[in-house]
């Protein structure tokens, strides 16, 4: 925490934030998150406007697992959906927090992200992590309806990270389709 406080905000702070998140994660998983670390990271997430630092802070907040952060991160996602980088990291933060109330918004974002591969992938991974059984099916539909290599790669990577076995047969069929 001392190293975090002394860190350079644009170059060192993202790495220090991730380190704090990783250090706080075991306590969060055990059901007793470190409120000091979680609150400090959440405060900075709301106060820093450098996209690279915000992305690291969003993931760190998710790792730190402070449940009260969920509504704040959800609001930030609504406000920042236009920036696919920060929005993608906020999606992952919500997944790490286990924020089930985010599923409807994440589903909407997934549907709206057919031209934003990074956000599409992060929203899909978050939905998969939160147990949305339809995320893989939506990704398969996106793959069938799209010819953008970036979108196809993002959807395939998300399907791989979700690990839903129902996607195997449709992916094999797509792989054999020369079109």
């Amino acid at each position: 925490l001392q190293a975090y406080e002394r860190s350079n905000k644009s170059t060192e702070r993202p790495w220090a934030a991730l380190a704090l998140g990783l250090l706080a994660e075991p306590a969060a998983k055990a059901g007793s998150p470190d409120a000091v670390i979680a609150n400090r990271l959440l405060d900075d997430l709301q106060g820093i406007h450098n996209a690279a630092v915000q992305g690291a802070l969003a993931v760190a907040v998710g790792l730190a697992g402070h449940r009260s952060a969920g509504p704040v991160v959800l609001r930030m996602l609504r406000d920042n959906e236009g920036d696919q980088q920060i929005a993608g990291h906020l999606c992952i933060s919500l997944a790490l927090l286990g924020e089930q109330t985010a599923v409807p918004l994440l589903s909407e974002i997934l549907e709206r992200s057919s031209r934003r591969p990074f956000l599409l992938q992060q929203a899909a991974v978050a939905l998969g992590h939160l147990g949305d059984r339809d995320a893989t099916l939506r990704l398969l539909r996106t793959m069938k309806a799209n010819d953008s290599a970036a979108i196809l790669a993002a959807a395939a990577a998300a399907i791989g990270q979700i690990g839903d076995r129902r996607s195997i047969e449709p992916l094999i069929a797509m792989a054999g389709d020369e079109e």
Side-chain angles (χ1 to χ4, degrees), residues 66-71 74 93-104 106 130:
H66 198 353
R67 297 288 303 151
S68 66
L74 189 57
S93 181
L94 289 164
L96 291 168
L97 289 167
E99 187 63 40
Q100 292 295 321
T101 62
V103 169
L106 290 168
L130 290 170

Side-chain angles (χ1 to χ4, degrees), residues 93-137:
S93 181
L94 289 164
L96 291 168
L97 289 167
E99 187 63 40
Q100 292 295 321
T101 62
V103 169
L105 178 61
L106 290 168
S107 296
E108 292 171 17
I109 289 172
L110 181 66
E111 295 298 326
R112 290 192 292 259
S113 297
S114 64
R115 297 190 186 273
R116 301 181 295 172
F118 181 76
L119 183 54
L120 178 129
Q121 181 178 359
Q122 301 311 309
V125 168
L127 284 166
H129 186 80
L130 290 170
D132 181 357
R133 304 261 311 142
D134 294 330
T136 300
L137 301 175

Side-chain angles (χ1 to χ4, degrees), residues 63-77:
L63 289 168
H66 198 353
R67 297 288 303 151
S68 66
V72 174
V73 175
L74 189 57
R75 179 189 48 77
M76 290 183 73
L77 177 57

